[in-house]
Amino acid sequence: MPGPIQSIQRAAEVLKLLAHGGAHQLGVGEISRALDLAKPTVHGILRTLQEVGFVEQEVEGGKYRLGAALFQIGTSYLDGNELRAKALNWSDTLAMRAREAVRIGVMHGKHVLVVHHVFRPDNSRQTLDTGALLPWHATALGKALVAFGEWPDGDLQRFTRRTLNPDELHTAMNEVRDRDWAYDLHELVEGEASVAAPIRDRRGVVVGAVGISGPVERLCESPDQPPRLELVSYVREAARSVSRELGGLSW
Amino acid sequence: MSYIAAIDQGTTSSRCIVFDQAGGIVSVAQREHRQIFPKPGWVEHDATEIWTNVQAVVRDALAQASLTHDDIAAFGITNQRETTVVWDKQTGVPVHNAIVWQDTRTDALIKQLGDQDRFRERSGLPLATYFSGPKLRWLLDNVEGLREKAERGEVLFGTMDTWLIWNLTGRHVTDVTNASRTMLMNLDTLDWDPELLSAMDVPRTVLPEIRSSSEVYGTHQGVPVASALGDQQAALFGQTCFDPGEGKCTYGTGAFLLINTGAKPVHSQNGLLTTVGYQIGDQPAAYALEGAVAVTGALVQWFRDKVGLISSAAEIETLARTVDDNGGAYFVPAFSGLFAPHWRSDARGVIAGLTGYISRGHLARAVLEASAWQTKEVVDAMNADSGVDLTTLRVDGGMTANNLLMQFLSDVLDVPVVRPIVAETTCLGAAYAAGLAVGYWPDTAALKANWHKAAEWEPSMEPAARDKGYRKWKKAVERTVGWMDEDDD
């Protein structure tokens, strides 16, 4: 693993310094003195940050302050623990209606991070897997998240002979965007299926996905058919309810 | 398909949750009401505002699910306990704001009534400001002309269940669980106790009729109003703790551990309360032991609002997970003294074990751990009183969304901690009791079959670490007592 990248560290220092100033703006000289960096170095960092919108200047050649793009990133971040707290009632209700285990996921780098897990309601022995990472391309949760977000780079591991290849995935993603829900059929584990729908915040941005998973015999009419529409409707209703809880829907 | 609508009249808000036959949530509506603070230590609610809000949340919850009153098989009621209101029998107008359970204006009266344990045998309760009887007495003594009106039978007293049922149906009734928090009811006869009434100087004419927790009290727009339970008892019911030895702990602002002790009241030797758990129709009542922790979620709220290191309660877990342990810091939130099992009103909060190493992550850990250690103290008292050790802790309430806390709770108790699939057990309990009364559910066995595990946390802490942590916690608790002096307010 390569070591830390110095220029990124320095850029972070500059942003922190500007953040601590609050409404206060700083010039190149002030920043270079505070961080003990050469003025040309600071100038280069600020120019780059300005290009991506993380800092801005009131007037050309004036002082710098934090940029609007930074705040957009800051507010689109939803704490996973917060999401779980808001989703609790609706994920419980989904588990009861579908009689299957429920998971809520968010993207975490190239993987889906499970932020909440409700046991399948049959009182059998199950283990909480909150905190686990799932591959995005072989799960309904991951597809529901990536369809409305960025395609993570990296190789797509084949788990079964039914795991989708990149071309198939691109087609599947279009369907997910059209239908607003996703499924997987034998794609992660042979004989298992999952259904998920996106959760949206008040700006309509997809911040998570909620879904169920279980054996194909329970989720599907036949082993080669997508999950039953009744289950899909429960999942979508849960996603809508959580979205409403987050202020994402007005009804 | 029909549904049950549960009304939860709480301390800060009123809610209505509509449930289906599987016990699943169909819709939720909520409205907050004003907290009125006329003087330090005084807390009041406007009972008329609450009644308006209750009507609104019922309307909203039905509308959200596109339901009408015809779709509702019964209303159930659960409520903040002990909060006291008196109103005019003719006009229905309250004679004074409702006096809320937290209100301490009866402090002097309580001291004047004598020894803390004076009414324990009869009522199951220690003399304390919470309970309704002393609040009613204060109203009779302080609202002009009220005592005369009371003696002429022109006014009615009630806890919030009674206030709502009277407004919904026109009947003046309360249930055994709410009555058991007035300090006016005899635990054995389950009726108003003449000696308690005379000691408190309260005329019987103002008191409601005591009924079971699960029966049809009357109807509202054609829908039976069919249950009433104090909030903690409703959670016990919602967790389907119908057998002796079964119990639950609800985590909200405070935490309340209740254990079903069966058909006989058990008197505590370890600082717990004896109370009525529930009564279904004409069946015998089930009693419960109760251990209350005053400050659990309230500490997280304090950390959010007064310290400002987090912007939402859920973020405390994120902050706490930035470190591996508490770094040696312990937080005893004795904000208004220590409650069960210590009962020391002269204690105040401390953060013990501070060193230069302690970061805000460690403090967040200490805040969460405080809820677990306080629960352990109450569980130990419960085990000692009942002679049987708790084998599993059933939990509910908002804080059960906190995985770090639930795991730590399991670690320090050394038993599995289990969350049921409906975390809203308070409303569910009210719905269950109402549904039983109208035959929506056949019996308690059917309700038990509805109970499912949604999550389980298994203990994984080394015994030595647990013992050391508990030892340090106890030392921190020792450091809170005796803080208040004569000249402190």
Side-chain angles (χ1 to χ4, degrees), chain B residues 234-483:
Chain B
L236 186 75
F237 208 91
Q239 286 265 25
T240 67
C241 297
F242 300 128
D243 293 314
E246 291 184 332
K248 63 87 206 178
C249 193
T250 302
Y251 290 88
T253 316
F256 292 86
L257 181 65
L258 270 76
I259 304 270
N260 184 335
T261 58
K264 285 241 175 301
V266 173
H267 289 277
S268 173
Q269 308 299 315
N270 294 284
L272 306 174
L273 308 185
T274 308
T275 197
V276 180
Y278 58 86
Q279 185 186 17
I280 302 170
D282 44 24
Q283 296 174 30
Y287 292 87
L289 272 174
E290 173 175 321
V293 177
V295 178
T296 54
L299 181 58
V300 178
Q301 285 164 10
W302 176 86
F303 199 64
R304 180 193 64 196
D305 300 336
K306 303 285 177 72
V307 184
L309 285 175
I310 48 173
S311 60
S312 77
E315 268 176 42
I316 190 143
E317 183 171 354
T318 314
L319 182 55
R321 282 192 192 278
T322 60
V323 292
D324 294 328
D325 55 38
N326 63 16
Y330 289 80
F331 198 146
V332 187
F335 288 170
S336 46
L338 288 169
F339 292 77
H342 308 285
W343 299 104
R344 290 289 299 256
S345 56
D346 62 345
R348 286 298 178 272
V350 299
I351 305 175
L354 284 180
T355 61
Y357 171 72
I358 298 300
S359 70
R360 54 191 190 164
H362 296 121
L363 290 179
R365 283 251 170 194
V367 162
L368 287 178
E369 291 180 7
S371 292
W373 292 122
Q374 293 183 99
T375 308
K376 182 166 171 65
E377 290 182 326
V378 173
V379 167
D380 283 357
M382 206 69 88
N383 288 345
D385 273 338
S386 67
V388 188
D389 282 358
L390 189 79
T391 53
T392 304
L393 183 68
R394 293 185 175 192
V395 295
D396 52 69
M399 278 182 107
T400 60
N402 192 308
N403 272 313
L404 184 68
L405 171 61
M406 292 300 110
Q407 182 58 54
F408 190 75
L409 185 60
S410 170
D411 284 342
V412 303
L413 296 179
D414 200 22
V415 298
V417 168
V418 176
R419 179 177 85 78
I421 204 150
V422 177
E424 298 281 0
T425 50
T426 302
C427 278
L428 186 62
Y432 276 172
L436 278 183
V438 298
Y440 186 77
W441 286 291
D443 50 30
T444 54
L447 301 180
K448 272 203 176 280
N450 258 355
W451 189 95
H452 293 295
K453 231 185 257 182
E456 178 164 14
W457 294 268
E458 297 267 2
S460 66
M461 190 186 261
E462 291 295 327
R466 180 183 310 119
D467 294 345
K468 183 180 175 194
Y470 201 23
R471 190 177 74 231
K472 291 290 186 195
W473 166 262
K474 285 178 171 165
K475 288 175 88 165
V477 170
E478 280 169 28
R479 278 154 180 78
T480 65
V481 298
W483 179 260

Side-chain angles (χ1 to χ4, degrees), chain B residues 50-51 161 281 446 461:
Chain B
I50 285 178
W51 166 235
D161 56 314
M461 190 186 261

Side-chain angles (χ1 to χ4, degrees), chain A residues 79 81-82 84 92 96 119, chain B residues 22 312 318 401 419 421 453-454:
Chain A
D79 187 300
N81 295 315
E82 182 83 36
R84 183 190 317 118
D92 280 355
M96 286 179 65
F119 288 172
Chain B
S312 77
T318 314
R419 179 177 85 78
I421 204 150
K453 231 185 257 182

Side-chain angles (χ1 to χ4, degrees), chain A residues 16 29 67 72 84 92 131 136 149 176 179 184 208 210 216 222 238 248:
Chain A
K16 278 187 204 165
Q72 278 161 16
R84 183 190 317 118
D92 280 355
W136 74 267
V176 172
R179 287 188 310 225
D184 108 77
V210 56
V216 289
S222 77

Side-chain angles (χ1 to χ4, degrees), chain A residues 2 15 26 75 81 89 113 120 122-123 133 182 188 196 204 212 238 251:
Chain A
L15 290 174
L26 296 173
T75 51
N81 295 315
N89 281 341
L113 171 68
R120 187 175 60 253
D122 59 7
N123 292 344
L133 293 172
L188 181 63
I212 56 172
W251 39 273

